[in-house]
Amino acid sequence: MDLNCRNNRNERIGIIGLGYVGLPLACLFATRYDVTGFDISARRLREINGHYDSTKEVTPAELRAALGGGLRCTDDVEALRGCSFYIVAVPTPVNSSHEPDLRALQQASETIGKVISPGDIAVFESTVYPGTTEEFCIPLIEKASGLVCDRDFSVGYSPERVNPGDRVHTVANICKIVSGSTPEAADRVERVYSSVVRGGTYRAPSIRVAEAAKIVENTQRDVNIAFINEVAKVFNALGIDTEEVLEAASTKWNFLDFHPGLVGGHCISVDPYYLIRKAELHGMHPRLMTEARSVNESMGFYLADQVVEALNRRNMPLNEARILILGFSFKKDCPDIRNTKTYDTFTSLRRYGSKVVAYDPVVDLEGVRAEYGELPVTGELEEVMAAGPYDVVVHCVDHSCFETLDLEGARAPECVDCGIVNPRVSACIKKRETSL
């Protein structure tokens, strides 16, 4: 059987997972193909079909155009039957022990196995450790379908490169790595993606190379940020402004432009654990990657410690301190709250009895409550002002809207400003006689 006889126009696309990766991809493919988007979340499907994307990766106008064209979104597995080109874009998180959690990937593979037909191809975009597609996903599809890979169907891997909140480096504009279980499968994957992606494609020699390339991209950034975070801690202890040091150092032509920060989200703070775990299974202990993860995991708590130390130096009872945290998402101008390290700062300060409020007009507050419970997080400036005055304002996320934020009247007379970019707390704190 020729598994690659279809031309582009004959492909029907099925996308499993309509989150940060899957929905923009579905809208892009819907400009040329009939696309069935599948997701198990009824809430997610309601908002998408109502022309609203809480991730803010797709605008209402873009959604309206896609849904009025080639895109249909559903939670009915049978609606996927008849597709010929399946794409898996489900999350691959880690559990509380930082072990890879492949349950969503397993469910997606089994879903494809229920509907895949001879001649079809399944392409995985989820970030995984090398070998996952061939050793984990393919057997699941084969078992559920009764078909055999590379005899009845084929498989590809094309790792997602979504940068949440980035309206420049979108899926349509970035270079797409493609690979396949056979050269012919790789040809097919490349033909389909190149028909909609303007940034071009790069043909990896194997699925394992493509998997490894993706995980290295994020692990490299994690290590570089960890170095700068550790440097920031050192300079903080020395009383030196980290940003001033980086500005001076950046005058050298080959200095790498990284800055201290809270490393959260679903990519940089998660993907290195997949590579670490795979290395450990092969008898290796990657010390640099492991230590980088440890440094970056600590930064939310470190920022809270800096606030506490400053309060203690001024003999201000922690249970009387009013603290405002600016930002709750994991990065600038992005509503994504997954694995946000601001949560570590927030909860650490609350344990001391401090009165903590977080202000973030970018995040989806319903999503915050669903993920983290009933925390005092608000997107309304009026609520923030009413809860003041604050003794400390902690800048955790540098949303653009904060650049013009006027907190006049919400600050106590000796209010401290501090943040993760330059964690040194140098302002004076004056004990107040009142408490919340």
Side-chain angles (χ1 to χ4, degrees), residues 11 17 21 65 91 115 118 124 145 155 162 171 173 214 228 247 257 272 293-294 317-318 328 355 378 387 418 420 436:
E11 299 283 12
V21 176
V115 295
F124 292 85
S145 66
V155 167
V162 168
V171 64
N173 298 326
K214 168 56 184 174
I228 295 297
E247 185 177 354
D257 187 25
R293 277 284 72 233
S294 178
L318 296 175
F328 194 81
K355 312 306 185 294
T378 180
C418 58
I420 197 63
L436 283 174

Side-chain angles (χ1 to χ4, degrees), residues 116-347:
I116 198 169
S117 299
D120 293 349
I121 185 169
V123 180
F124 292 85
E125 290 218 358
S126 305
T127 304
V128 292
Y129 51 74
T132 304
T133 301
E134 294 160 309
E135 298 166 7
F136 182 79
C137 300
I138 288 176
L140 291 170
I141 296 174
E142 290 180 327
K143 181 178 179 181
S145 66
L147 304 178
V148 177
C149 185
D150 293 335
R151 185 193 72 185
D152 303 312
F153 69 93
S154 54
V155 167
Y157 184 78
S158 181
E160 59 88 4
R161 281 176 160 175
V162 168
N163 184 24
D166 189 340
R167 298 295 294 174
V168 176
H169 301 97
T170 64
V171 64
N173 298 326
I174 59 175
C175 179
K176 206 77 170 70
I177 295 176
V178 296
S179 63
S181 53
T182 65
E184 294 76 21
D187 288 341
R188 185 174 178 182
V189 175
E190 189 167 24
R191 282 199 307 270
V192 172
Y193 276 101
S194 63
S195 69
V196 294
V197 173
R198 295 187 295 269
T201 58
Y202 175 85
R203 179 81 163 264
S206 69
I207 286 177
R208 286 173 177 256
V209 168
E211 291 169 326
K214 168 56 184 174
I215 208 163
V216 164
E217 292 172 12
N218 286 337
T219 303
Q220 181 190 65
R221 289 186 59 78
D222 193 47
V223 170
N224 278 300
I225 296 170
F227 168 72
I228 295 297
N229 275 338
E230 193 161 57
V231 161
K233 289 183 177 182
V234 172
F235 291 149
N236 180 44
L238 298 176
I240 300 174
D241 189 301
T242 302
E243 283 299 298
E244 291 177 354
V245 173
L246 296 179
E247 185 177 354
S250 65
T251 59
K252 190 169 188 283
W253 66 91
N254 60 354
F255 185 78
L256 301 180
D257 187 25
F258 286 89
H259 294 262
L262 300 176
V263 183
H266 187 66
C267 294
I268 298 177
S269 66
V270 172
D271 297 349
Y273 289 119
Y274 275 71
L275 190 54
I276 290 169
R277 179 55 177 158
K278 188 67 172 180
E280 290 173 341
L281 291 174
H282 285 259
M284 295 184 61
H285 181 66
R287 290 181 294 174
L288 182 61
M289 288 183 279
T290 302
E291 287 302 316
R293 277 284 72 233
S294 178
V295 169
N296 287 338
E297 288 282 357
S298 74
M299 293 305 290
F301 303 109
Y302 172 75
L303 179 55
D305 290 344
Q306 295 302 295
V307 176
V308 170
E309 288 179 15
L311 291 168
N312 286 336
R313 284 196 298 270
R314 302 306 173 187
N315 297 316
M316 183 173 191
L318 296 175
N319 62 358
E320 291 185 12
R322 293 170 175 164
I323 300 172
L324 172 63
I325 289 178
L326 295 180
F328 194 81
S329 65
F330 91 90
K331 66 178 290 189
K332 178 178 180 177
D333 297 339
C334 175
D336 196 345
I337 58 170
R338 292 175 298 176
N339 201 29
T340 174
K341 297 307 173 187
T342 302
Y343 178 76
D344 296 339
T345 303
F346 192 105
T347 54

Side-chain angles (χ1 to χ4, degrees), residues 46-111:
R46 279 196 304 272
E47 68 178 34
I48 291 173
N49 287 320
H51 304 149
Y52 173 69
D53 173 22
S54 59
T55 71
K56 300 184 180 178
E57 294 297 304
V58 179
T59 67
E62 290 169 336
L63 256 182
R64 194 173 292 108
L67 291 167
L71 177 61
R72 301 292 180 272
C73 297
T74 181
D75 58 359
D76 180 9
V77 174
E78 284 303 308
L80 289 168
R81 194 178 299 278
C83 293
S84 58
F85 195 99
Y86 295 95
I87 299 175
V88 174
V90 297
T92 45
V94 293
N95 61 23
S96 58
S97 300
H98 298 145
E99 295 283 338
D101 182 353
L102 299 178
R103 287 177 296 177
L105 193 62
Q106 176 180 345
Q107 187 174 0
S109 299
E110 291 171 344
T111 296

